[in-house]
Amino acid sequence: MITKVTKILNVGRLSDVGGTSDIYNLAKNTFIYSSNAHGKSTFVSILRSIGSGNPDLILGRKTLGSVNDPKIILKLDNNGDKAIFENKKWNKELPYI
């Protein structure tokens, strides 16, 4: 289970999420809402990508004008394990998403 969004860089509207001030904790049932064009579908694409292992779902949403590749760090459970997307691939696949 993903318990925390630690970092999202250069993925659509989510061009710089994370660091020390923007830490997003997730529970088994987390409700995400916002007005249109604020990254909800982009976040779902991140979840679909890690669930299928398909990096194209993220690469196709690279932030316009960004010269750097997307990077995502998600904390898993409470054991400190992390799912990381960098160098155009995930370090693990989570098919149970």
Side-chain angles (χ1 to χ4, degrees):
M1 182 172 115
I2 299 170
T3 58
K4 187 177 286 191
V5 175
T6 305
K7 176 74 75 183
I8 300 174
L9 292 172
N10 305 318
V11 185
R13 296 277 299 188
L14 307 175
S15 60
D16 189 7
V17 175
T20 57
S21 61
D22 298 326
I23 302 293
Y24 299 100
N25 293 309
L26 303 174
K28 184 175 180 180
N29 296 303
T30 300
F31 184 69
I32 298 173
Y33 67 96
S34 182
S35 45
N36 290 338
H38 280 84
K40 298 177 303 295
S41 295
T42 298
F43 186 68
V44 170
S45 291
I46 291 169
L47 297 177
R48 289 180 62 211
S49 175
I50 194 169
S52 67
N54 182 357
D56 294 334
L57 295 169
I58 293 172
L59 297 173
R61 288 185 172 267
K62 182 178 175 182
T63 300
L64 294 175
S66 173
V67 294
N68 296 318
D69 286 334
K71 181 173 182 175
I72 302 164
I73 303 173
L74 306 172
K75 184 179 175 206
L76 308 174
D77 298 320
N78 292 321
N79 61 6
D81 196 16
K82 294 180 181 177
I84 300 172
F85 183 89
E86 64 183 337
N87 300 320
K88 301 181 180 181
K89 66 181 192 269
W90 287 102
N91 68 332
K92 61 181 66 198
E93 188 176 316
L94 302 177
Y96 55 86
I97 291 286

Coordinates of all heavy atoms in Angstrom, one line a residue:
M1 N 0.8 -1.2 0.0 CA 0.0 0.0 0.0 C 0.9 1.3 0.0 O 1.9 1.3 0.7 CB -0.9 0.0 1.2 CG -1.8 1.2 1.3 SD -3.0 1.0 2.6 CE -2.5 2.4 3.6
I2 N 0.5 2.2 -0.8 CA 1.2 3.5 -0.8 C 0.7 4.3 0.4 O -0.5 4.5 0.6 CB 0.9 4.3 -2.1 CG1 1.4 3.5 -3.3 CG2 1.6 5.6 -2.0 CD1 1.0 4.0 -4.6
T3 N 1.7 4.7 1.3 CA 1.3 5.5 2.5 C 1.6 7.0 2.4 O 1.0 7.7 3.1 CB 1.9 4.9 3.7 OG1 3.4 4.9 3.5 CG2 1.5 3.5 4.0
K4 N 2.5 7.3 1.5 CA 2.9 8.7 1.4 C 3.4 9.1 0.0 O 4.2 8.3 -0.6 CB 4.0 9.0 2.4 CG 4.4 10.5 2.6 CD 5.4 10.7 3.7 CE 4.7 10.5 5.0 NZ 5.5 10.9 6.2
V5 N 3.0 10.2 -0.5 CA 3.6 10.8 -1.7 C 4.8 11.7 -1.2 O 4.5 12.7 -0.6 CB 2.6 11.6 -2.5 CG1 3.3 12.3 -3.7 CG2 1.4 10.8 -2.9
T6 N 6.0 11.3 -1.5 CA 7.1 12.0 -1.0 C 7.6 13.0 -2.0 O 7.9 14.2 -1.6 CB 8.3 11.0 -0.7 OG1 7.8 10.0 0.2 CG2 9.5 11.7 -0.1
K7 N 7.6 12.7 -3.3 CA 8.1 13.6 -4.3 C 7.4 13.3 -5.7 O 7.3 12.1 -6.0 CB 9.6 13.5 -4.4 CG 10.2 14.4 -5.5 CD 10.3 15.8 -5.2 CE 11.3 16.2 -4.2 NZ 11.3 17.6 -3.9
I8 N 7.0 14.3 -6.4 CA 6.6 14.2 -7.8 C 7.2 15.4 -8.5 O 6.9 16.6 -8.1 CB 5.0 14.2 -8.0 CG1 4.4 13.1 -7.2 CG2 4.7 14.2 -9.4 CD1 2.9 13.1 -7.2
L9 N 8.0 15.1 -9.5 CA 8.6 16.2 -10.3 C 8.4 16.0 -11.7 O 8.5 14.9 -12.3 CB 10.2 16.2 -10.1 CG 10.7 16.6 -8.7 CD1 12.2 16.3 -8.6 CD2 10.4 18.0 -8.4
N10 N 8.0 17.1 -12.4 CA 7.8 17.1 -13.9 C 6.8 16.1 -14.5 O 7.1 15.5 -15.5 CB 9.2 16.9 -14.5 CG 10.2 17.9 -14.0 OD1 9.9 19.1 -13.9 ND2 11.4 17.5 -13.7
V11 N 5.7 16.0 -13.8 CA 4.6 15.1 -14.3 C 3.4 16.0 -14.4 O 2.7 16.3 -13.4 CB 4.3 13.9 -13.4 CG1 3.3 13.0 -14.0 CG2 5.6 13.1 -13.1
G12 N 3.1 16.5 -15.6 CA 1.9 17.3 -15.8 C 1.9 18.5 -14.9 O 2.9 19.2 -14.7
R13 N 0.7 18.8 -14.3 CA 0.5 19.9 -13.4 C 1.3 19.7 -12.1 O 1.4 20.6 -11.3 CB -1.0 20.1 -13.1 CG -1.8 20.5 -14.3 CD -1.8 21.9 -14.6 NE -2.3 22.7 -13.5 CZ -2.5 24.0 -13.5 NH1 -2.3 24.6 -14.6 NH2 -2.9 24.6 -12.4
L14 N 1.7 18.5 -11.8 CA 2.4 18.2 -10.6 C 3.9 18.3 -10.9 O 4.6 17.4 -10.9 CB 2.0 16.8 -10.1 CG 0.5 16.5 -10.0 CD1 0.3 15.0 -9.6 CD2 -0.1 17.4 -9.0
S15 N 4.3 19.5 -11.1 CA 5.7 19.8 -11.6 C 6.7 19.8 -10.4 O 7.8 19.5 -10.6 CB 5.8 21.1 -12.3 OG 5.4 22.2 -11.5
D16 N 6.2 20.1 -9.2 CA 7.1 20.1 -8.1 C 6.3 19.9 -6.8 O 6.0 20.8 -6.1 CB 8.0 21.3 -8.0 CG 9.1 21.3 -7.0 OD1 9.3 20.2 -6.4 OD2 9.7 22.3 -6.7
V17 N 6.0 18.6 -6.5 CA 5.3 18.3 -5.3 C 6.2 17.5 -4.3 O 6.9 16.6 -4.8 CB 4.0 17.4 -5.6 CG1 3.3 17.0 -4.4 CG2 3.1 18.2 -6.5
G18 N 6.2 17.9 -3.1 CA 7.0 17.2 -2.1 C 8.0 18.1 -1.4 O 7.9 19.3 -1.4
G19 N 9.0 17.5 -0.9 CA 10.0 18.2 -0.1 C 9.6 18.3 1.4 O 8.9 17.4 1.8
T20 N 9.9 19.3 2.1 CA 9.6 19.4 3.5 C 8.2 19.9 3.8 O 7.7 19.5 4.8 CB 10.7 20.2 4.2 OG1 10.7 21.5 3.6 CG2 12.1 19.6 4.1
S21 N 7.7 20.7 2.9 CA 6.4 21.3 3.3 C 5.2 20.6 2.7 O 4.1 20.7 3.2 CB 6.4 22.8 2.8 OG 6.5 22.8 1.4
D22 N 5.4 19.9 1.6 CA 4.2 19.2 0.9 C 4.4 17.7 1.0 O 4.8 17.1 0.1 CB 4.2 19.6 -0.6 CG 4.0 21.0 -0.9 OD1 3.3 21.7 -0.1 OD2 4.6 21.5 -1.8
I23 N 4.0 17.2 2.1 CA 4.0 15.7 2.3 C 2.5 15.3 2.4 O 1.7 15.8 3.2 CB 4.7 15.3 3.6 CG1 6.1 15.8 3.6 CG2 4.7 13.8 3.8 CD1 7.0 15.2 2.6
Y24 N 2.2 14.3 1.5 CA 0.8 13.9 1.4 C 0.7 12.4 1.9 O 1.2 11.5 1.3 CB 0.3 14.0 0.0 CG 0.3 15.4 -0.4 CD1 1.4 15.9 -1.2 CD2 -0.6 16.3 0.0 CE1 1.4 17.3 -1.6 CE2 -0.6 17.7 -0.4 CZ 0.4 18.1 -1.2 OH 0.5 19.4 -1.6
N25 N 0.0 12.2 3.1 CA -0.2 10.9 3.6 C -1.4 10.3 3.0 O -2.4 11.0 2.8 CB -0.3 11.0 5.1 CG 0.9 11.4 5.8 OD1 2.0 10.8 5.6 ND2 0.9 12.4 6.6
L26 N -1.4 9.0 2.7 CA -2.5 8.3 2.1 C -2.9 7.2 3.1 O -2.1 6.6 3.7 CB -2.1 7.7 0.8 CG -1.6 8.7 -0.3 CD1 -1.2 8.0 -1.5 CD2 -2.7 9.7 -0.6
A27 N -4.2 7.0 3.2 CA -4.8 5.9 4.0 C -5.4 4.8 3.0 O -5.4 5.0 1.8 CB -5.8 6.4 4.9
K28 N -5.9 3.8 3.5 CA -6.6 2.8 2.7 C -7.6 3.4 1.8 O -7.7 3.0 0.6 CB -7.2 1.7 3.6 CG -7.7 0.5 2.8 CD -8.2 -0.6 3.6 CE -8.8 -1.7 2.8 NZ -9.2 -2.8 3.6
N29 N -8.4 4.3 2.3 CA -9.4 5.0 1.6 C -9.1 6.5 1.7 O -9.3 7.1 2.7 CB -10.8 4.7 2.1 CG -11.2 3.3 1.9 OD1 -11.2 2.8 0.8 ND2 -11.5 2.6 3.0
T30 N -8.6 7.1 0.6 CA -8.3 8.5 0.6 C -9.1 9.2 -0.5 O -9.1 8.7 -1.6 CB -6.8 8.7 0.4 OG1 -6.0 8.1 1.4 CG2 -6.4 10.2 0.4
F31 N -9.8 10.2 -0.1 CA -10.6 11.0 -1.1 C -9.8 12.2 -1.6 O -9.3 13.0 -0.8 CB -11.9 11.5 -0.4 CG -12.8 12.2 -1.2 CD1 -13.5 11.5 -2.2 CD2 -13.1 13.5 -1.1 CE1 -14.4 12.1 -3.0 CE2 -14.0 14.2 -1.9 CZ -14.6 13.5 -2.9
I32 N -9.6 12.3 -2.9 CA -8.8 13.4 -3.5 C -9.8 14.2 -4.3 O -10.5 13.7 -5.2 CB -7.7 12.8 -4.4 CG1 -6.7 12.0 -3.5 CG2 -7.0 14.0 -5.1 CD1 -5.7 11.3 -4.3
Y33 N -9.9 15.5 -4.0 CA -10.7 16.4 -4.8 C -10.0 17.7 -5.0 O -9.2 18.1 -4.3 CB -12.1 16.6 -4.0 CG -11.9 17.4 -2.7 CD1 -12.1 18.8 -2.7 CD2 -11.5 16.7 -1.6 CE1 -12.0 19.5 -1.5 CE2 -11.4 17.5 -0.4 CZ -11.6 18.8 -0.4 OH -11.4 19.5 0.8
S34 N -10.5 18.4 -6.1 CA -9.9 19.7 -6.5 C -10.7 20.1 -7.7 O -11.4 19.4 -8.3 CB -8.5 19.6 -6.8 OG -7.9 20.8 -7.1
S35 N -10.6 21.4 -8.0 CA -11.2 21.9 -9.2 C -10.5 21.3 -10.4 O -9.4 20.7 -10.3 CB -11.3 23.4 -9.2 OG -10.0 23.9 -8.8
N36 N -11.1 21.5 -11.6 CA -10.5 21.0 -12.8 C -9.1 21.5 -13.1 O -8.8 22.6 -12.7 CB -11.4 21.4 -14.0 CG -12.7 20.6 -14.0 OD1 -12.9 19.6 -13.4 ND2 -13.7 21.2 -14.7
A37 N -8.3 20.7 -13.7 CA -7.0 21.1 -14.2 C -6.0 21.3 -13.0 O -5.1 22.1 -13.1 CB -7.0 22.3 -15.1
H38 N -6.1 20.5 -12.0 CA -5.2 20.6 -10.8 C -4.4 19.3 -10.5 O -3.9 19.2 -9.5 CB -5.9 21.1 -9.6 CG -6.1 22.6 -9.6 ND1 -7.2 23.2 -10.3 CD2 -5.4 23.6 -9.1 CE1 -7.1 24.5 -10.2 NE2 -6.0 24.8 -9.5
G39 N -4.5 18.3 -11.4 CA -3.6 17.2 -11.3 C -4.2 15.9 -10.9 O -3.5 14.9 -10.7
K40 N -5.5 15.8 -10.7 CA -6.2 14.6 -10.3 C -6.0 13.4 -11.3 O -5.6 12.3 -10.9 CB -7.7 14.8 -10.0 CG -8.0 15.8 -8.9 CD -9.5 16.0 -8.8 CE -10.2 16.5 -10.0 NZ -9.8 17.8 -10.5
S41 N -6.2 13.7 -12.5 CA -6.0 12.7 -13.6 C -4.6 12.3 -13.7 O -4.2 11.1 -14.0 CB -6.6 13.1 -14.9 OG -8.0 13.3 -14.8
T42 N -3.7 13.3 -13.5 CA -2.3 13.0 -13.6 C -1.9 12.0 -12.5 O -1.1 11.1 -12.7 CB -1.5 14.3 -13.5 OG1 -1.8 15.1 -14.6 CG2 0.0 14.1 -13.5
F43 N -2.4 12.3 -11.3 CA -2.1 11.4 -10.1 C -2.6 10.0 -10.4 O -2.0 9.0 -10.1 CB -2.7 11.9 -8.8 CG -2.3 11.2 -7.6 CD1 -1.0 11.1 -7.2 CD2 -3.2 10.4 -6.9 CE1 -0.6 10.4 -6.1 CE2 -2.8 9.7 -5.8 CZ -1.5 9.7 -5.4
V44 N -3.8 9.9 -11.0 CA -4.4 8.6 -11.4 C -3.5 7.9 -12.4 O -3.2 6.7 -12.3 CB -5.8 8.7 -11.9 CG1 -6.3 7.4 -12.5 CG2 -6.7 9.1 -10.7
S45 N -2.9 8.6 -13.3 CA -2.0 8.1 -14.3 C -0.7 7.5 -13.6 O -0.2 6.5 -14.0 CB -1.6 9.1 -15.4 OG -2.7 9.4 -16.2
I46 N -0.3 8.2 -12.6 CA 0.9 7.7 -11.8 C 0.5 6.3 -11.2 O 1.3 5.4 -11.3 CB 1.3 8.7 -10.7 CG1 1.9 9.9 -11.4 CG2 2.3 8.1 -9.7 CD1 2.1 11.1 -10.5
L47 N -0.7 6.2 -10.6 CA -1.1 5.0 -10.0 C -1.3 3.9 -11.0 O -0.9 2.7 -10.8 CB -2.4 5.2 -9.2 CG -2.3 6.2 -8.0 CD1 -3.7 6.3 -7.4 CD2 -1.3 5.7 -7.0
R48 N -1.8 4.2 -12.2 CA -2.0 3.2 -13.2 C -0.6 2.8 -13.7 O -0.4 1.6 -14.0 CB -2.8 3.8 -14.4 CG -4.3 4.0 -14.0 CD -5.1 4.5 -15.2 NE -5.0 3.6 -16.3 CZ -5.1 4.0 -17.6 NH1 -5.2 5.3 -17.9 NH2 -5.1 3.2 -18.5
S49 N 0.3 3.7 -13.8 CA 1.7 3.3 -14.3 C 2.4 2.4 -13.4 O 2.9 1.4 -13.8 CB 2.5 4.6 -14.5 OG 3.8 4.3 -14.8
I50 N 2.3 2.7 -12.1 CA 3.0 1.8 -11.1 C 2.3 0.4 -11.0 O 2.9 -0.6 -10.8 CB 3.2 2.4 -9.8 CG1 4.2 1.6 -9.0 CG2 1.9 2.6 -9.0 CD1 4.7 2.3 -7.7
G51 N 1.0 0.4 -11.2 CA 0.2 -0.8 -11.2 C 0.5 -1.7 -12.4 O 0.6 -2.9 -12.3
S52 N 0.7 -1.1 -13.5 CA 1.0 -1.9 -14.7 C 2.5 -2.0 -15.1 O 2.8 -2.8 -15.9 CB 0.2 -1.2 -15.9 OG 0.8 0.0 -16.2
G53 N 3.3 -1.1 -14.5 CA 4.7 -1.1 -14.9 C 4.9 -0.4 -16.2 O 6.0 -0.4 -16.7
N54 N 3.9 0.3 -16.7 CA 4.0 1.0 -18.0 C 4.5 2.4 -17.8 O 3.7 3.3 -17.3 CB 2.7 1.0 -18.7 CG 2.7 1.7 -20.0 OD1 3.7 2.2 -20.5 ND2 1.6 1.6 -20.7
P55 N 5.8 2.8 -18.1 CA 6.3 4.1 -17.9 C 5.7 5.1 -18.9 O 5.7 6.3 -18.6 CB 7.8 4.0 -18.2 CG 7.9 2.8 -19.1 CD 6.8 1.9 -18.7
D56 N 5.1 4.7 -20.0 CA 4.5 5.6 -21.0 C 3.4 6.5 -20.4 O 3.1 7.6 -20.8 CB 4.0 4.9 -22.2 CG 5.2 4.2 -23.0 OD1 6.3 4.8 -22.9 OD2 5.0 3.2 -23.7
L57 N 2.7 5.9 -19.4 CA 1.6 6.7 -18.8 C 2.1 7.9 -18.0 O 1.4 8.9 -17.9 CB 0.8 5.8 -17.8 CG 0.1 4.6 -18.4 CD1 -0.4 3.6 -17.4 CD2 -1.0 5.1 -19.3
I58 N 3.4 7.9 -17.6 CA 4.0 9.1 -17.0 C 4.8 9.9 -18.0 O 4.6 11.1 -18.0 CB 4.9 8.6 -15.8 CG1 4.1 8.0 -14.7 CG2 5.8 9.8 -15.3 CD1 4.9 7.4 -13.6
L59 N 5.5 9.2 -18.9 CA 6.3 9.9 -19.9 C 5.4 10.8 -20.8 O 5.8 11.8 -21.2 CB 7.2 9.0 -20.6 CG 8.2 8.2 -19.8 CD1 8.9 7.1 -20.6 CD2 9.2 9.1 -19.1
G60 N 4.2 10.3 -21.1 CA 3.3 11.0 -21.9 C 2.7 12.3 -21.2 O 2.1 13.1 -21.9
R61 N 2.9 12.4 -19.9 CA 2.4 13.5 -19.2 C 3.5 14.4 -18.6 O 3.3 15.2 -17.7 CB 1.5 13.0 -18.0 CG 0.2 12.5 -18.4 CD -0.6 12.1 -17.2 NE -1.9 11.7 -17.6 CZ -3.0 12.6 -17.6 NH1 -2.8 13.8 -17.3 NH2 -4.2 12.2 -18.0
K62 N 4.7 14.3 -19.2 CA 5.8 15.1 -18.8 C 5.4 16.6 -18.8 O 4.7 17.1 -19.7 CB 7.0 14.9 -19.7 CG 8.2 15.7 -19.2 CD 9.4 15.4 -20.1 CE 10.6 16.3 -19.8 NZ 11.7 16.0 -20.7
T63 N 5.8 17.4 -17.8 CA 5.4 18.8 -17.7 C 6.0 19.5 -18.9 O 7.1 19.4 -19.2 CB 6.0 19.4 -16.4 OG1 5.5 18.7 -15.3 CG2 5.7 20.9 -16.3
L64 N 5.1 20.3 -19.5 CA 5.5 21.0 -20.7 C 6.6 22.0 -20.4 O 6.5 22.7 -19.4 CB 4.3 21.8 -21.3 CG 3.1 20.9 -21.9 CD1 2.0 21.7 -22.3 CD2 3.6 20.0 -23.0
G65 N 7.6 22.1 -21.3 CA 8.7 23.0 -21.1 C 9.8 22.5 -20.1 O 10.8 23.2 -19.9
S66 N 9.5 21.4 -19.5 CA 10.5 20.9 -18.5 C 11.7 20.2 -19.3 O 11.4 19.4 -20.2 CB 9.9 19.9 -17.6 OG 10.9 19.3 -16.8
V67 N 12.9 20.5 -18.9 CA 14.1 19.8 -19.5 C 14.4 18.6 -18.8 O 15.2 17.7 -19.3 CB 15.3 20.8 -19.6 CG1 15.0 21.9 -20.5 CG2 15.7 21.3 -18.2
N68 N 14.0 18.4 -17.5 CA 14.3 17.2 -16.7 C 13.2 16.1 -16.9 O 12.1 16.4 -17.1 CB 14.5 17.6 -15.3 CG 15.6 18.6 -15.1 OD1 16.7 18.4 -15.6 ND2 15.4 19.6 -14.2
D69 N 13.7 14.9 -16.7 CA 12.7 13.8 -16.8 C 11.9 13.7 -15.5 O 12.3 14.2 -14.5 CB 13.5 12.5 -16.9 CG 14.1 12.3 -18.3 OD1 13.5 12.8 -19.3 OD2 15.1 11.5 -18.4
P70 N 10.7 13.1 -15.6 CA 9.9 12.9 -14.4 C 10.6 12.1 -13.3 O 11.3 11.2 -13.7 CB 8.6 12.2 -14.9 CG 8.6 12.5 -16.4 CD 10.0 12.6 -16.8
K71 N 10.3 12.4 -12.1 CA 10.8 11.7 -11.0 C 9.7 11.6 -9.9 O 9.0 12.6 -9.6 CB 12.0 12.3 -10.3 CG 12.6 11.5 -9.2 CD 13.9 12.0 -8.7 CE 14.4 11.1 -7.5 NZ 15.7 11.5 -7.1
I72 N 9.4 10.4 -9.4 CA 8.4 10.2 -8.4 C 8.9 9.3 -7.3 O 9.6 8.3 -7.6 CB 7.1 9.5 -9.0 CG1 6.6 10.3 -10.2 CG2 6.1 9.2 -8.0 CD1 5.7 9.6 -11.1
I73 N 8.6 9.6 -6.1 CA 9.0 8.8 -4.9 C 7.7 8.6 -4.1 O 7.1 9.6 -3.6 CB 10.1 9.4 -4.1 CG1 11.3 9.7 -4.9 CG2 10.5 8.5 -2.9 CD1 12.4 10.5 -4.2
L74 N 7.4 7.4 -3.9 CA 6.2 7.0 -3.1 C 6.7 6.1 -1.9 O 7.4 5.1 -2.2 CB 5.2 6.3 -3.9 CG 4.7 7.0 -5.2 CD1 3.8 6.1 -6.0 CD2 4.0 8.3 -4.8
K75 N 6.2 6.4 -0.7 CA 6.6 5.5 0.4 C 5.5 4.4 0.5 O 4.3 4.7 0.3 CB 6.6 6.3 1.7 CG 7.0 5.5 2.9 CD 7.0 6.3 4.2 CE 7.3 5.4 5.3 NZ 6.8 5.9 6.6
L76 N 6.0 3.2 0.7 CA 5.1 2.0 0.8 C 5.1 1.5 2.2 O 6.1 1.4 2.9 CB 5.6 0.9 -0.1 CG 5.9 1.3 -1.6 CD1 6.6 0.2 -2.3 CD2 4.6 1.8 -2.2
D77 N 3.9 1.2 2.7 CA 3.6 0.7 4.1 C 4.4 1.5 5.1 O 4.7 2.7 4.9 CB 4.0 -0.8 4.1 CG 3.0 -1.6 3.2 OD1 1.9 -1.3 3.1 OD2 3.5 -2.5 2.5
N78 N 4.8 0.8 6.2 CA 5.5 1.5 7.2 C 6.9 1.0 7.4 O 7.6 1.3 8.4 CB 4.7 1.4 8.5 CG 3.4 2.2 8.5 OD1 3.4 3.3 7.9 ND2 2.4 1.6 9.0
N79 N 7.4 0.2 6.5 CA 8.7 -0.4 6.6 C 9.8 0.4 5.9 O 10.9 0.0 5.9 CB 8.7 -1.8 6.1 CG 8.4 -1.9 4.6 OD1 8.2 -0.9 4.0 ND2 8.2 -3.1 4.1
G80 N 9.5 1.6 5.4 CA 10.5 2.4 4.8 C 10.7 2.1 3.3 O 11.5 2.8 2.7
D81 N 10.1 1.1 2.8 CA 10.2 0.7 1.4 C 9.7 1.8 0.5 O 8.7 2.5 0.8 CB 9.5 -0.6 1.1 CG 9.9 -1.3 -0.2 OD1 11.0 -0.9 -0.7 OD2 9.2 -2.2 -0.6
K82 N 10.3 2.0 -0.7 CA 9.9 3.1 -1.6 C 9.7 2.6 -3.0 O 10.5 1.8 -3.4 CB 10.9 4.3 -1.6 CG 10.9 5.0 -0.2 CD 11.9 6.1 -0.3 CE 12.0 6.8 1.1 NZ 13.0 7.8 1.1
A83 N 8.8 3.1 -3.7 CA 8.6 2.9 -5.1 C 9.2 4.2 -5.8 O 8.7 5.3 -5.4 CB 7.2 2.7 -5.5
I84 N 10.1 4.1 -6.7 CA 10.8 5.2 -7.3 C 10.7 5.1 -8.8 O 11.0 4.1 -9.4 CB 12.2 5.3 -6.8 CG1 12.3 5.5 -5.3 CG2 12.9 6.5 -7.5 CD1 13.7 5.4 -4.7
F85 N 10.3 6.2 -9.4 CA 10.3 6.3 -10.9 C 11.4 7.3 -11.2 O 11.3 8.5 -10.9 CB 8.9 6.9 -11.4 CG 8.9 6.9 -12.9 CD1 8.4 5.8 -13.6 CD2 9.2 8.1 -13.6 CE1 8.4 5.9 -15.0 CE2 9.2 8.1 -15.0 CZ 8.8 7.0 -15.7
E86 N 12.4 6.9 -11.9 CA 13.4 7.7 -12.4 C 14.2 7.0 -13.5 O 14.1 5.8 -13.6 CB 14.4 8.2 -11.3 CG 15.2 7.2 -10.6 CD 16.1 7.8 -9.5 OE1 16.4 9.0 -9.6 OE2 16.5 7.0 -8.6
N87 N 14.8 7.7 -14.3 CA 15.5 7.2 -15.5 C 14.5 6.4 -16.4 O 14.7 5.4 -16.9 CB 16.6 6.3 -15.2 CG 17.7 7.0 -14.4 OD1 18.0 8.2 -14.7 ND2 18.2 6.4 -13.4
K88 N 13.2 7.0 -16.4 CA 12.1 6.5 -17.3 C 11.6 5.1 -17.0 O 11.1 4.4 -17.8 CB 12.6 6.6 -18.8 CG 12.9 8.0 -19.2 CD 13.3 8.0 -20.6 CE 13.7 9.5 -21.0 NZ 14.0 9.7 -22.4
K89 N 11.8 4.7 -15.7 CA 11.3 3.4 -15.3 C 11.0 3.4 -13.8 O 11.6 4.2 -13.0 CB 12.2 2.3 -15.7 CG 13.6 2.3 -15.0 CD 14.4 1.2 -15.5 CE 15.6 0.9 -14.7 NZ 16.8 1.5 -14.8
W90 N 10.2 2.4 -13.3 CA 9.9 2.2 -11.9 C 11.0 1.2 -11.4 O 11.4 0.3 -12.1 CB 8.6 1.6 -11.7 CG 7.4 2.6 -11.9 CD1 6.6 2.7 -13.0 CD2 7.0 3.5 -10.9 NE1 5.7 3.7 -12.8 CE2 5.9 4.2 -11.5 CE3 7.4 3.9 -9.7 CZ2 5.3 5.3 -10.9 CZ3 6.8 5.0 -9.0 CH2 5.7 5.6 -9.6
N91 N 11.3 1.3 -10.1 CA 12.2 0.3 -9.5 C 11.4 -0.9 -9.1 O 12.0 -1.9 -8.8 CB 12.9 0.9 -8.3 CG 12.0 1.2 -7.1 OD1 10.8 1.5 -7.3 ND2 12.6 1.2 -5.9
K92 N 10.1 -0.8 -9.1 CA 9.2 -2.0 -8.8 C 7.9 -1.8 -9.3 O 7.5 -0.6 -9.6 CB 9.2 -2.3 -7.3 CG 8.6 -1.1 -6.5 CD 8.6 -1.4 -5.0 CE 10.0 -1.5 -4.5 NZ 10.2 -2.2 -3.2
E93 N 7.1 -2.8 -9.5 CA 5.8 -2.8 -10.0 C 4.8 -3.2 -8.8 O 5.2 -4.0 -8.0 CB 5.6 -3.7 -11.1 CG 4.3 -3.7 -11.9 CD 4.3 -4.6 -13.1 OE1 5.2 -4.7 -13.8 OE2 3.2 -5.3 -13.3
L94 N 3.7 -2.5 -8.7 CA 2.7 -2.8 -7.7 C 1.4 -3.2 -8.3 O 0.5 -2.4 -8.4 CB 2.5 -1.6 -6.8 CG 3.8 -1.0 -6.1 CD1 3.4 0.2 -5.3 CD2 4.4 -2.1 -5.2
P95 N 1.3 -4.4 -8.8 CA 0.1 -4.8 -9.5 C -1.2 -4.9 -8.6 O -2.3 -4.9 -9.1 CB 0.4 -6.3 -10.0 CG 1.5 -6.7 -9.1 CD 2.2 -5.5 -8.6
Y96 N -1.0 -4.8 -7.3 CA -2.2 -4.8 -6.4 C -2.8 -3.4 -6.2 O -3.8 -3.3 -5.5 CB -1.8 -5.4 -5.1 CG -0.7 -4.7 -4.4 CD1 -0.9 -3.6 -3.6 CD2 0.6 -5.2 -4.5 CE1 0.2 -2.9 -3.0 CE2 1.7 -4.5 -4.0 CZ 1.5 -3.4 -3.2 OH 2.5 -2.8 -2.6
I97 N -2.3 -2.4 -6.9 CA -2.9 -1.0 -6.8 C -4.3 -1.1 -7.4 O -4.6 -1.6 -8.5 CB -2.0 0.0 -7.6 CG1 -0.7 0.2 -6.9 CG2 -2.8 1.3 -7.8 CD1 -0.8 1.0 -5.6

